[in-house]
Amino acid sequence: MLYKVLEKNGYRDFVKSLISGFEFIGPVKKDRAVHDFKVIKDFKELDTAYIRTTIPPAKKILFPPDEELVCYEIGENIDVKPVVESGEKILFAINAWDINGMNFLDRVFTTDFIDDNYKAKRDKLIVIGMDTEPAETNFSPSVGAEFATGGFDLYMHDIGDRYFIRVATARGDGLLKRYAVVKDAERNDFKEYDRYMDNYRGRFKLDVDIKSFYDDFEVIYDKKEFWENAAKDCYSCGSCNLVCPTCFCFNVKDDMELNLKKGEKTREWDSCMIPDYGLVAGGHNFRPTKENRLKQRYRCKLKTFKEKYDRYACVGCGRCIEACLANINIAEDINSVKKEVSA
Amino acid sequence: MSKPKVGIFGFTGCGGCQLEILNLEDQLLDLVAAIDLVHFTEAITEHSDNYDIALVEGAITTRHGVERIEKIGKIAKIIVAIGSCAVNGGLNCLKNLYGTAKAKELVYGDKKDWIDSIDVKPVDAYVKVDYYARGCPPNRFEIVDIIRSLIVGRKPEIPNYPVCVECKRNGNTCVFELGMTCLGPVTRAGCNSRCPNSGSGCDGCRGLIDEPNVNAQKDLLKKYGLTVEDMVDRFNLYNACREKNIAEKVTGGN
Ligand code: SF4
Ligand code: SF4
């Protein structure tokens, strides 16, 4: 890692030249409730002071809601072609927990099986991180996701009159050399940066007892009442999964044209909270009730992947808490496990 | 089914569902090539009583309608109800809420006995319906998918999840957050969340999902400071025939 410093008065020119030189995706105010990551053509559209986005940026870009995987033509032979779309893009002002969410997706899509579509997009994505103000539903520090140690090219911390930049890749270094006037960070810059980080970490107010959830999960696993109560109001609407930066489940659909000669296979975001997720041929459903499904969702996020990859499949962004119309709250549920077990 | 004979029939409704089929434009020629179209009320003059699949639009609201649908039921091997009126009765059901006798009186005065008008019912109140292409208007691509699936012999994929799923796939801000009401959490998706996409709440035109959690709607209203009347009116717009006690559930019976 290299450490550089960019004076604030050089910021605008730096960003402007990135906007004109690349497909540049950054936060834009969408409406009174949220920001959205969009392609930006004009510096004025960019608004890095965002708190909430409905859909995590990386999920939209690397794992789009609808994605063509293969197309085929049926003639004398069946001709099947993979469809892999990617292009160089800059993702600007993504925060640490969303970078960590993307790093989780990296593991999922490249560990047991290399997902070419995901990987092609990821390799060409230039990531420039930036801290944002945590929402009150954010519990990233509890799951160790409020700081990103990798998964980006540059990370810019606003330490007052200048940016302290962590440079993680040669590609990122190249961008600075070409488009910005920076200098190497000095002792004083490091000191400011440490002070800044202490202060930043203090701005996260929500704390969850993730450790006791992990340890006690098996104890409450069969407590039917606990789960019935937790899932009572669930609409089985899947919103919690679909807005989550780490949820990766998808469903593959076959779209054949009416002439039955041509078609494509596409994948679309799926959700383990909707009833048909557990439905298999023959009509059996492995998770017929909403309490089965909620329990499984929490287990996947907070247990399964901790065991598999030694990291939670939750970065504490709080989006699922905000998205849930039934007020089902992962942070409260994590904390209530301890109460339940000690009661 | 290699080249099925298809009839497209209209009952009480606005005719918009048949229009949606005509709106297929790009796919229309492929569609008429893939099937043998023997009746299409809105588009062709030819007619034959020999068909395998009947696509039925509109609710059954007259005695004459009952006779016609029962005849279709005897001929067709497969019946597909298309659109909210055929599937759930649709807007027509507002007549039932008001009272059929009272409505006839109001509209036709002393000539009311000349008019053949009975309580509104959806198509499956009279004949077995095999597939439902829901919505007002229905999603024309879903109609195509049902026909294609019948031709290739597989089950059509009709979503059994709420509109919220499509809303999230489309990256919409939840309309509750924008201060409006929405039936999305209990309404069957398949419309590609078209109302929320354009900034208004879902009216439930595709009917309820299989296991709607209507009780939770009450808490939802409280959370967003909305009135129960809002929600009941919304439910009744498209679902009054089918979901009589939904309104009670939402209001807690009062
Ligand atoms: S967002 Fe809430 S209501 Fe919807 S499936 Fe998730 S927990 Fe259930
Ligand atoms: S489970 Fe909820 S809090 Fe955790 S990463 Fe997903 S959306 Fe964020």
Side-chain angles (χ1 to χ4, degrees), chain A residues 127-311:
Chain A
V127 178
I128 304 181
M130 223 180 226
D131 293 330
T132 61
E133 202 56 36
E136 66 268 29
T137 49
N138 186 305
F139 56 94
S140 300
S142 306
V143 285
E146 84 293 1
F147 182 78
T149 54
F152 54 84
D153 294 276
L154 300 172
Y155 202 110
M156 302 172 63
H157 300 273
D158 180 348
I159 58 169
D161 56 357
R162 59 200 188 280
Y163 287 97
F164 183 90
I165 305 180
R166 291 186 290 137
V167 184
T169 63
R171 184 166 67 176
D173 195 33
L175 279 186
L176 288 182
K177 285 204 172 99
R178 179 142 182 226
Y179 298 106
V181 185
V182 291
K183 54 183 179 51
D184 290 342
E186 286 166 15
R187 213 163 137 179
N188 192 33
D189 301 313
F190 280 98
K191 257 217 220 111
E192 285 280 317
Y193 166 65
D194 286 344
R195 202 173 313 140
Y196 160 85
M197 275 315 293
D198 283 348
N199 173 293
Y200 183 62
R201 287 201 163 91
R203 300 222 283 269
F204 294 78
K205 300 291 180 225
L206 183 59
D207 207 17
V208 302
D209 198 343
I210 191 86
K211 170 117 185 20
S212 91
F213 183 95
Y214 185 85
D215 294 343
D216 295 333
F217 186 77
E218 301 309 330
V219 182
I220 56 147
Y221 189 79
D222 287 323
K223 289 204 173 172
K224 203 159 170 271
E225 263 170 42
F226 176 85
W227 295 108
E228 273 171 4
N229 189 40
K232 160 170 79 37
D233 285 339
C234 176
Y235 286 106
S236 303
C237 73
S239 296
C240 46
N241 296 126
L242 298 162
V243 301
C244 176
T246 64
C247 279
F248 54 83
C249 285
F250 59 84
N251 183 29
V252 176
K253 285 195 318 184
D254 196 353
D255 263 324
M256 199 193 270
E257 288 182 13
L258 262 171
N259 60 24
L260 308 184
K261 293 214 170 65
K262 260 189 185 163
E264 58 190 45
K265 283 192 183 280
T266 51
R267 69 168 157 207
E268 60 181 15
W269 292 346
D270 204 347
S271 154
C272 63
M273 295 296 278
I274 61 185
D276 287 7
Y277 184 89
L279 187 65
V280 292
H284 180 69
N285 195 327
F286 286 96
R287 296 197 200 100
T289 66
K290 44 188 198 277
E291 46 277 12
N292 290 148
R293 296 189 288 268
L294 183 67
K295 178 160 74 175
Q296 166 58 26
R297 177 174 151 240
Y298 287 163
R299 171 146 90 166
C300 175
K301 298 229 157 279
L302 309 171
K303 194 92 185 146
T304 310
F305 281 97
K306 182 72 179 156
E307 280 155 13
K308 196 167 172 187
Y309 296 160
D310 194 27
R311 61 175 83 171

Side-chain angles (χ1 to χ4, degrees), chain B residues 218 247-254:
Chain B
K218 257 190 298 184
E248 280 162 36
K249 283 196 204 159
V250 178
T251 56
N254 49 48

